[in-house]
Amino acid sequence: MRMTEENKRAQTRRIAEGAAAAFREGGFDAVNIDAVMARSGLTRGAFYAHFATKQALLETVARDCHPLLDKLRAREGEPMAGARRILRDYLDPAHLDAVRTGCTFAALSGDIARAPADVRSAFEAAWSEVLGELARGTDRAPEDFAAPLALATGAIGAAAALESGAAQATLLNGAWDALDAMLPPAT
């Protein structure tokens, strides 16, 4: 039986989401195709019907698998108030483990920095979309949100590298204080 285009797109998305979760948890180099496909609930043979290489899969993950972007797009009400709530939640020390393994920006920046230009370009496109979402409803340019976004995602990576919960909380709460001062007020 032939797969419809709609089913193929859905399966491609399923593989990419499974890969994104696996890559965020273990790192790109440590996760093989078998692990990705097991995470996606599909066979290794199905991988090659969707992606030529693991690097091509990383490009898709870098472009399309960003829960932070999804949350910003879905926010309702006053855009900056919603963005502030999302970012405060993002930097909440109680959510560090979930964000560390749930944010492609925070978890995979190092892997993507070492990837080929097409992967970095896909990541940059998603980064630009987040900047646009942060600027939505404000009088600021998207580029004005680059430093706050870098602060937030970098703080997650740095906090995850710390051993002590107290040190993690100090870092994340300090990052929020700095970020709060950088963001436009909620209206």
Side-chain angles (χ1 to χ4, degrees), residues 98-185:
V99 173
R100 181 188 57 77
T101 59
C103 179
T104 303
F105 295 116
L108 293 179
S109 292
D111 289 313
I112 292 171
R114 292 182 292 277
D118 55 344
V119 175
R120 292 191 321 272
S121 179
F123 187 81
E124 185 174 338
W127 181 269
S128 294
E129 285 187 59
V130 171
L131 296 179
E133 277 299 318
L134 288 169
R136 179 168 48 104
T138 73
D139 61 354
R140 297 214 186 152
E143 298 77 28
D144 293 344
F145 292 91
L149 182 57
L151 173 63
T153 59
I156 295 297
L162 299 175
E163 182 65 25
S164 155
Q168 291 170 335
T170 298
L171 187 154
L172 292 172
N173 288 325
W176 169 251
D177 290 343
L179 186 65
D180 185 42
M182 299 168 99
L183 294 174

Side-chain angles (χ1 to χ4, degrees), residues 68 83-91 134 152 176 179 183:
L68 177 60
R84 285 175 155 281
R85 279 190 302 276
I86 290 165
L87 291 171
R88 181 62 193 122
D89 190 52
Y90 184 90
L91 289 171
L134 288 169
W176 169 251
L179 186 65
L183 294 174

Side-chain angles (χ1 to χ4, degrees), residues 1-101:
M1 180 164 59
R2 284 187 63 111
M3 182 179 290
T4 67
E5 280 302 312
E6 182 178 332
N7 287 343
K8 185 171 183 175
R9 280 191 302 276
Q11 206 170 66
T12 299
R13 181 70 182 179
R14 185 170 155 192
I15 295 166
E17 290 292 339
F23 294 162
R24 289 188 301 248
E25 287 175 13
F28 176 73
D29 289 335
V31 175
N32 63 29
I33 292 171
D34 290 330
V36 166
M37 297 312 285
R39 184 79 175 243
S40 303
L42 299 166
T43 65
R44 180 183 180 92
F47 177 85
Y48 295 102
H50 301 275
F51 299 98
T53 64
K54 186 178 158 194
Q55 201 77 40
L57 174 58
L58 181 60
E59 181 179 349
T60 297
V61 167
R63 182 184 57 247
D64 298 333
C65 298
H66 296 282
L68 177 60
L69 177 58
D70 296 340
K71 286 179 183 180
L72 288 168
R73 284 178 177 151
R75 73 188 186 272
E76 295 180 2
E78 197 276 313
M80 187 45 56
R84 285 175 155 281
R85 279 190 302 276
I86 290 165
L87 291 171
R88 181 62 193 122
D89 190 52
Y90 184 90
L91 289 171
D92 185 328
H95 302 151
L96 175 60
D97 288 337
V99 173
R100 181 188 57 77
T101 59

